[in-house]
Amino acid sequence: MTTATHAPGRTGTPARKPATMAQALNQALRDSLAADPAVHILGEDVGALGGVFRITDGLTKEFGEDRCTDTPLAEAGILGTAVGMAMYGLRPVVEMQFDAFAYPAFEQLVSHVARMRNRTRGAMPLPLTIRIPYGGGIGGVEHHSDSSEAYYLHTPGLHVVTPATVEDAYGLLRAAIASDDPVVFLEPKRLYWSKSPWSPQEPAEVEPIGRAVVRRPGRTATLITYGPSLPVCLEAAEAAKEEGWDLGVVDLRSLVPFDEETVAAVVRGTGRAVVVHESSGFGGAGAEIAARITERCFHHLEAPVLRVAGFDIPYPPPMLERHHLPGVDRILDAVGRLQWEEA
Amino acid sequence: MTVLDTPAWRPRTDAAPLLPDPEPYRLLGTPEAAALDPALLRALYGQLVRGRRYNAQATALTKQGRLAVYPSSTGQEACEIAAALALQPQDWLFPSYRDTLAVVARGVDPVEALTLLRGDWHTGYDPHTHRVAPLSTPLATQLPHAVGLAHAARLSGDDVVALAMVGDGGTSEGDFHEALNFAAVWQAPVVFLVQNNGFAISVPLAKQTAAPTLAHKAVGYGMPGRLVDGNDAAAMHQVLTEAVERARTGGGPTLVEAVTYRIEAHTNADDATRYRDEAEITPWRGHDPIDLLERELTSRGLLDDALRSGTAADAEEMAASLRERMHTDPQLDPMDLFAHVYAEPTPQLREQQAQLRAELEAERQS
């Protein structure tokens, strides 16, 4: 687990105006490029356009085409060449334009990125970051809304990280780029425009990768979530007060490493847990988390750990996606099924 | 001005100079061979003979259960050796799984080069020591690595060329296409060597491509394609050396197709009689890379009994050492399984580590 350091020399009392997650990610890339000449950004449209989500806005202008490079349109080629650059000692940061457009790079990811350190007995670690905008809720047409985290977390050798707040977007991306291991950095695209008082001149403390955080303490049950589902869970917890439930919310922030200690400690306190994510439930992250909670906290549990996830269907067309995405009602419905009558 | 006058309507590159020769380039047995450096010919000869002996020894080791599998490059030694000798020490080699000979000729320890195929680990050597990437099993996936490494070296201002090896079957893979395209767009200092040995396991080239030659594929990317007799060690060495120097001096990538033949089956686990006749192999036996070189050396009076027997003895000594060392069981520590998954193990890996440690302890006590 690696901690990124801040660029030195930041003093004064910066204004904490609302900033978007997109701005925080952009600042994290800018600060990483400035801090380490080995950092190179590669991707489609990351240059003059600044990326389709503008996350690389201005970076080519500021750092030059060699540091922030528009590549040919070929994801396996982007990741494959990034592997070679990392083999030579650079620290590439790759942008995959959309979740579903990252699949052509899957073989490079699974067969090389995840294995190179292991294959070479540590002689050739690959310090590279693969940024992938993921998830739905933006009205995207087919292939623009997948939640692909289960593919990655099932691949030993990869870290899988996903921020849910503006502060974490900065801190975790800095940490990912500074990591000597490959990090799949999943950016919840429907939170790109979420705002929070955050100043690029005074970024939040950078947390090491692999620590969950309690976003809301609660006594009666715990919602465990990450990325795009965090605001939904916080909203559900607020709404649950009317039902007389005091729900806590845990933001995992990192699926690999999975912070089992924090999750287990919180669930032992409440005895009830619901795992919430928008990717399909079958074989998903929630299944693993629920199994681990059951193994570790069985005697503290008042009810089976439930999952609220996307249906096991191909991601729906935008006009139907609201039925697929876990919303407040579906989360509260699950909470209602936590065997309260026996309590 | 109309759109027809705009740059988009004009070819970016003149295709004609990129086209390969109509026939595979040859040197041995031609008048041009007279100009070849005797020291180079002797060095190639020594390496080819060693290489063939290495292949025979490794194949024997599979029969003795000392190697899990061995994809032999017998008949393709000229390609393997020329690839290694065309590079400078600071350059990088990106081999596929059939390229153990090139890896050894580059200086990697002959036993460490077999780690993957013995199965005691995935790679037995530190890639940085001799600048040899791990043997790549997934086809053509190492080619974009070579492009990225060469690109990174150029960005760093370093004088480094990458030479990447792939087979005829590998040219059908998407990574082949993407690597060549990136290399040409970036003008990366890379050389792609395709060993066209006729077969992808059982599938002949005719079912692999409809291209005039594999070298012609270069033209579509805007890089030169060279067609070479892959059994002519001198021609291979010359063409690869030129391509490496072209890359080194900013000329960009080259695709070299070496026309050769896989004399053995795909691996010791394959049965080639199911898909090809012995009659097909016979003409290739008459166009053997070592024979071709011996004839040249003999005709120029460069191959006397001392060189012949000295070379053979050197190869035997290498084989004996390989045999002896490979007959020693490797010392394996199962706990290594967890050592290099991440820089630091995850909490879950620590648990699993403890589990295996306990299992090993129980085994020791039983």
Side-chain angles (χ1 to χ4, degrees):
Chain A
M1 292 168 213
T2 314
T3 310
T5 50
H6 295 155
R10 289 218 159 96
T11 53
T13 49
R16 289 176 70 83
K17 285 183 291 192
T20 63
M21 181 181 281
Q23 288 171 316
L25 291 166
N26 179 260
Q27 192 64 39
L29 292 174
R30 178 174 287 103
D31 288 353
S32 296
L33 285 165
D36 183 354
V39 174
H40 285 69
I41 295 171
L42 302 170
E44 296 155 5
D45 303 297
V46 298
L49 183 66
V52 294
F53 292 106
R54 308 291 182 269
I55 308 301
T56 57
D57 189 32
L59 299 180
T60 297
K61 198 174 174 195
E62 192 172 336
F63 294 94
E65 282 187 27
D66 286 346
R67 298 292 302 284
C68 183
T69 307
D70 272 335
T71 64
L73 207 167
E75 292 77 13
I78 295 170
L79 190 53
T81 51
V83 168
M85 292 168 76
M87 289 169 91
Y88 198 71
L90 298 187
R91 201 169 274 273
V93 181
V94 160
E95 175 172 307
M96 294 285 148
Q97 199 158 72
F98 277 88
D99 30 60
F101 302 164
Y103 301 146
F106 199 66
E107 185 185 18
Q108 284 291 338
L109 191 70
V110 171
S111 295
H112 293 296
V113 172
R115 306 177 72 110
M116 196 67 84
R117 173 189 288 278
N118 182 259
R119 173 185 295 144
T120 60
R121 288 183 184 275
M124 197 165 248
L126 293 182
L128 67 89
T129 304
I130 301 123
R131 295 181 37 244
I132 308 177
Y134 82 120
I138 61 157
V141 297
E142 194 181 15
H143 307 301
H144 290 77
S145 296
D146 283 11
S147 290
S148 41
E149 63 268 30
Y151 305 129
Y152 305 124
L153 68 89
H154 196 64
T155 302
L158 302 177
H159 285 322
V160 182
V161 172
T162 180
T165 68
V166 175
E167 293 80 359
D168 273 359
Y170 180 89
L172 290 174
L173 184 53
R174 291 295 310 269
I177 295 170
S179 169
D180 288 333
D181 281 315
V183 179
V184 175
F185 193 83
L186 297 167
E187 300 173 0
K189 62 173 96 76
R190 72 169 132 142
L191 300 184
Y192 271 150
W193 303 281
S194 65
K195 285 188 177 179
S196 167
W198 175 83
S199 163
Q201 281 76 42
E202 192 188 48
E205 194 63 28
V206 177
E207 290 277 349
I209 288 173
R211 285 197 198 151
V213 63
V214 176
R215 292 290 177 201
R216 178 187 169 111
R219 288 178 296 105
T220 52
T222 308
L223 304 179
I224 298 158
T225 191
Y226 54 86
S229 296
L230 176 66
V232 188
C233 286
L234 290 171
E235 200 186 324
E238 195 58 31
K241 287 202 291 192
E242 284 179 27
E243 309 283 336
W245 293 319
D246 180 16
L247 299 187
V249 178
V250 174
D251 174 6
L252 293 175
R253 305 200 287 185
S254 154
L255 296 171
V256 182
F258 172 57
D259 185 354
E260 216 164 308
E261 287 306 316
T262 299
V263 170
V266 172
V267 174
R268 282 194 194 110
T270 59
R272 289 181 170 85
V274 179
V275 188
V276 182
H277 58 62
E278 69 175 65
S279 59
S280 299
F282 192 87
E288 179 65 29
I289 294 163
R292 286 188 175 268
I293 292 172
T294 307
E295 288 166 9
R296 304 252 327 217
C297 312
F298 187 71
H299 293 291
H300 298 265
L301 288 176
E302 305 286 347
V305 179
L306 296 183
R307 286 170 290 158
V308 176
F311 296 131
D312 298 326
I313 56 173
Y315 197 87
M319 293 176 77
L320 290 170
E321 68 179 331
R322 71 182 180 86
H323 301 291
H324 173 72
L325 294 170
V328 169
D329 289 347
R330 201 173 286 161
I331 293 169
L332 292 180
D333 180 62
V335 173
R337 287 186 282 121
L338 290 173
Q339 302 186 3
W340 300 97
E341 66 281 2
E342 292 161 26
Chain B
M1 188 167 114
T2 73
V3 286
L4 296 174
D5 301 317
T6 65
W9 287 78
R10 288 193 293 269
R12 282 158 295 283
T13 308
D14 181 8
L18 306 179
L19 283 164
D21 294 340
E23 292 289 322
Y25 179 67
R26 292 189 182 91
L27 264 179
L28 297 177
T30 71
E32 287 74 32
L36 290 167
D37 176 13
L40 171 69
L41 293 178
R42 286 196 194 98
L44 286 168
Y45 176 67
Q47 288 278 6
L48 256 62
V49 171
R50 268 173 81 96
R52 177 151 304 175
R53 188 66 190 87
Y54 188 94
N55 274 333
Q57 187 57 58
T59 300
L61 287 165
T62 64
K63 291 173 181 147
Q64 294 153 7
R66 287 290 174 182
L67 282 178
V69 66
Y70 187 72
S72 174
S73 56
T74 294
Q76 301 172 227
E77 295 91 344
C79 303
E80 295 287 316
I81 300 308
L85 297 194
L87 296 175
Q88 297 296 316
Q90 75 273 20
D91 297 334
W92 275 77
L93 181 75
F94 285 78
S96 81
Y97 58 80
R98 200 181 297 284
D99 300 320
T100 316
L101 287 196
V103 170
V104 173
R106 180 99 177 118
V108 172
D109 178 273
V111 170
E112 290 181 3
L114 287 174
T115 293
L116 171 75
L117 302 168
R118 173 152 70 170
D120 51 306
W121 201 257
H122 310 302
T123 296
Y125 50 91
D126 180 342
H128 298 285
T129 309
H130 296 281
R131 286 149 309 278
V132 177
L135 293 158
S136 181
T137 306
L139 294 179
T141 55
Q142 75 280 17
L143 306 184
H145 304 172
V147 177
L149 183 135
H151 179 61
R154 206 179 58 147
L155 290 179
S156 308
D158 297 338
D159 167 24
V160 171
V161 175
L163 189 152
M165 304 174 76
V166 67
D168 46 302
T171 65
S172 299
E173 293 280 1
D175 277 17
F176 174 83
H177 158 67
E178 296 189 24
L180 267 70
N181 190 44
F182 272 65
V185 170
W186 286 349
Q187 287 293 289
V190 192
V191 177
F192 300 100
L193 169 58
V194 179
Q195 290 183 64
N196 170 8
N197 68 11
F199 288 90
I201 302 190
S202 65
V203 178
L205 187 67
K207 292 184 181 176
Q208 206 66 246
T209 184
T213 70
L214 296 173
H216 276 83
K217 294 193 173 199
V219 181
Y221 301 103
M223 72 174 77
R226 299 292 308 269
L227 188 63
V228 195
D229 181 342
N231 288 13
D232 182 330
M236 280 303 301
H237 185 266
Q238 187 183 92
V239 168
L240 288 176
T241 304
E242 284 170 7
V244 166
E245 283 319 299
R246 186 171 171 275
R248 195 183 304 289
T249 51
T254 304
L255 172 65
V256 177
E257 176 187 354
V259 183
T260 181
Y261 193 80
R262 198 191 73 207
I263 296 290
E264 306 286 343
H266 167 62
T267 68
N268 54 296
D270 177 37
D271 175 9
T273 63
R274 292 176 72 94
Y275 53 83
R276 73 177 181 192
D277 294 332
E278 183 64 26
E280 184 188 321
I281 310 174
T282 309
W284 285 97
R285 292 196 197 282
H287 192 69
D288 180 83
I290 296 179
D291 289 349
L292 292 178
L293 193 51
E294 278 191 353
R295 262 178 254 156
E296 185 70 37
L297 286 164
T298 306
S299 74
R300 287 176 58 182
L302 298 170
L303 184 62
D304 55 17
D305 285 347
L307 178 61
R308 195 188 293 270
S309 61
T311 303
D314 170 65
E316 275 314 313
E317 196 181 318
M318 178 276 303
S321 161
L322 181 62
R323 198 163 51 233
E324 187 191 322
R325 293 175 65 201
M326 290 295 289
H327 277 294
T328 312
D329 289 329
Q331 294 301 304
L332 303 179
D333 180 359
M335 295 313 293
D336 279 358
L337 291 172
F338 297 98
H340 306 293
V341 185
Y342 299 99
E344 289 183 49
T346 62
Q348 291 73 33
L349 278 180
R350 283 187 214 281
E351 264 176 36
Q352 294 162 27
Q353 224 169 346
Q355 184 189 342
L356 181 60
R357 195 176 289 117
E359 285 173 10
L360 293 171
E361 189 53 36
E363 253 178 42
R364 262 191 293 274
Q365 287 177 2
S366 66

